[in-house]
Amino acid sequence: GSEMCIRDRSTKLSDPNITSDINQLTKLNKEYSEIKDVVENWIRYQELEQSIDDLDSLANDEEMKALALEEKSQHEKELQEIEGEIMIQLLPKDKDDERNSFVELRAGAGGDEAAIFVGDLYRMYGRFAERNKWKVEKIKEIPSGTGGFKEIVIKVIGTDTYGNLKFESGVHRVQRVPETESQGRVHTSTCTVAVLPEVGEVQD
């Protein structure tokens, strides 16, 4: 069923009537990409299962036993990883997951150290975005005299940014010895993070 579905999507993507409708083309491209990833993982899963069965038989040969068991262990590890990927891929998706995101960072308790923490989190999300090939636009910033920020708002543009960032919402806490602390005492500082999906369409 999955293989037929992906062939159907692939055929439609080459249909001139479809390619002339940019909205339909974008939708089909996205569906094709999602289905393709699941199907490829499922095919690999089946190949690994067959390979593990073959290695079980090969392990009966004393000369090949050590090699077969080592390769079987590697395959079982890959099988477990792919199984986890497939389970995630089959989870129902929030319609907002594919949207761009607005991320708001605000200093909470902790004074200057909380403001520095905001800057740390901003750089962390920036690097995470870079790793995922997302674009970051700074919408607003309120600097603090310590080199930190009382508030930063950024827009993260790219594939499924809201789906990947939405669980960052909440209060983040850091416990550490600040560079400005002369007594070596541990300070606790907090920062609130709010992640919102970008709303573009009028009906939304």
Side-chain angles (χ1 to χ4, degrees), residues 53-123:
D53 287 343
D54 295 343
L55 289 166
D56 275 334
S57 300
L58 200 59
N60 293 324
D61 183 336
E62 284 301 320
E63 291 183 7
M64 300 297 294
K65 185 174 183 178
L67 186 63
L69 290 176
E70 182 183 351
E71 193 168 343
K72 179 186 173 185
S73 176
Q74 293 172 352
H75 283 4
E76 285 175 336
K77 183 180 178 183
E78 187 181 349
L79 190 76
Q80 194 173 11
E81 290 172 354
I82 288 177
E83 184 178 5
E85 286 181 17
I86 291 172
M87 289 177 70
I88 291 171
Q89 287 169 331
L90 294 178
L91 285 172
K93 291 192 174 181
D94 186 322
K95 66 180 179 64
D96 288 331
D97 282 358
E98 63 194 57
R99 296 183 186 273
N100 297 326
S101 307
F102 288 99
V103 181
E104 178 189 79
L105 312 170
R106 287 176 180 267
D112 291 346
E113 176 65 6
I116 292 170
F117 185 35
V118 170
D120 292 341
L121 286 178
Y122 166 62
R123 285 185 288 276

Side-chain angles (χ1 to χ4, degrees), residues 108-148:
D112 291 346
E113 176 65 6
I116 292 170
F117 185 35
V118 170
D120 292 341
L121 286 178
Y122 166 62
R123 285 185 288 276
M124 180 189 76
Y125 290 128
R127 288 176 184 172
F128 182 64
E130 185 180 344
R131 184 178 296 178
N132 284 283
K133 296 181 171 58
W134 298 334
K135 182 182 176 185
V136 174
E137 292 179 1
K138 190 182 287 185
I139 305 298
K140 176 184 178 183
E141 68 171 54
I142 303 176
S144 171
T146 59

Side-chain angles (χ1 to χ4, degrees), residues 12-25 28:
K12 284 184 177 180
L13 284 171
S14 59
D15 184 339
N17 295 322
I18 295 293
T19 54
S20 63
D21 183 341
I22 192 67
N23 290 330
Q24 181 76 343
L25 181 63
L28 283 170

Side-chain angles (χ1 to χ4, degrees), residues 30-67:
K30 185 177 184 302
E31 286 182 4
Y32 178 78
S33 176
E34 289 175 356
I35 295 169
K36 178 173 172 285
D37 291 342
V38 178
V39 171
E40 285 178 352
N41 269 340
W42 175 240
I43 291 170
R44 178 58 181 159
Y45 186 91
Q46 291 175 308
E47 288 173 349
L48 286 166
E49 279 193 320
Q50 182 60 54
S51 181
I52 288 168
D53 287 343
D54 295 343
L55 289 166
D56 275 334
S57 300
L58 200 59
N60 293 324
D61 183 336
E62 284 301 320
E63 291 183 7
M64 300 297 294
K65 185 174 183 178
L67 186 63

